Amino acid sequence: MLHAWAIPTITARRGARSIVPLGSERSAAHDDSLRPDSQRVALGLLADLLGHRERELMSATGLALQRGALGTWLVGEQGAALVRCAGRRTDCWCVRIRDVEELPAADRVAHLLLALREDERGFAKVANLAFSGATGRIRRRLPSASRAAIVAAREIEESRARGPATGATRPV
């Protein structure tokens, strides 16, 4: 009985740790070893890749939101989370980047975002699956500032599952 609770809890924690939001305590942006100029330039380039709503979400949560064919992705420094199945399931993917010290944190997010846009299915094949399960399990284990990103991705997937708005109005 203990295994039924412990295993999903441990894998959910591993999945949440694989995402690493930009600016979190595990983030390279949190470390002052890189020049602040390179961090600022990298953030500017990342902001250019995102839309207005996604840029605001990135600023608040540290995760870049990207809609895809498989679901809605949340991209962090060392991986991504895929929210799917009407927002009920989340898959966390871990991606290791070599020479971590030489690359600004925002550049890591931008590289993963561009790879995801180029080949979403290939990204899912190459990355290491760290967790697959209920969205709530991941949400509870993310830093509190990043939980809004999971909520936003879940809302997108719920609206996607409901289908497109017909635009028809009810008679009064």
Side-chain angles (χ1 to χ4, degrees):
M1 180 68 175
L2 180 63
H3 286 276
W5 174 82
I7 300 299
T9 301
I10 291 168
T11 58
R13 183 176 39 219
R14 184 179 67 194
R17 287 181 55 84
S18 70
I19 300 169
V20 185
L22 192 64
S24 70
E25 62 184 37
R26 293 184 54 233
S27 168
H30 192 71
D31 184 18
D32 293 328
S33 64
L34 288 174
R35 294 178 312 220
D37 292 343
S38 62
Q39 290 284 9
R40 193 177 67 245
V41 170
L43 278 171
L45 293 172
L46 176 59
D48 287 344
L49 293 173
L50 302 172
H52 184 67
R53 181 174 180 232
E54 291 82 6
R55 193 173 21 251
E56 288 177 357
L57 187 67
M58 175 74 178
S59 175
T61 65
L63 298 173
L65 187 132
Q66 174 68 40
R67 294 179 187 133
L70 300 176
T72 302
W73 293 85
L74 295 169
V75 181
E77 284 183 49
Q78 295 180 8
L82 171 64
V83 180
R84 58 188 181 87
C85 297
R88 293 186 307 271
R89 295 200 52 91
T90 299
D91 302 327
C92 294
W93 305 91
C94 178
V95 178
R96 296 285 177 220
I97 299 172
R98 293 184 185 191
D99 301 327
V100 173
E101 294 81 25
E102 296 178 18
L103 196 61
D107 273 351
R108 289 182 222 154
V109 176
H111 281 108
L112 293 178
L113 187 62
L114 289 172
L116 182 63
R117 286 180 179 177
E118 182 64 29
D119 185 9
E120 185 177 7
R121 292 184 190 278
F123 182 89
K125 286 180 183 177
V126 171
N128 297 318
L129 184 63
F131 172 77
S132 181
T135 300
R137 288 188 188 271
I138 290 295
R139 185 177 43 82
R140 287 189 296 267
R141 283 154 186 87
L142 282 174
S144 58
S146 299
R147 292 178 186 158
I150 287 281
V151 171
R154 189 175 192 168
E155 289 172 357
I156 290 170
E157 286 303 304
E158 286 173 349
S159 67
R160 191 183 277 188
R162 285 191 297 267
T166 59
T169 58
R170 277 189 356 218
V172 179

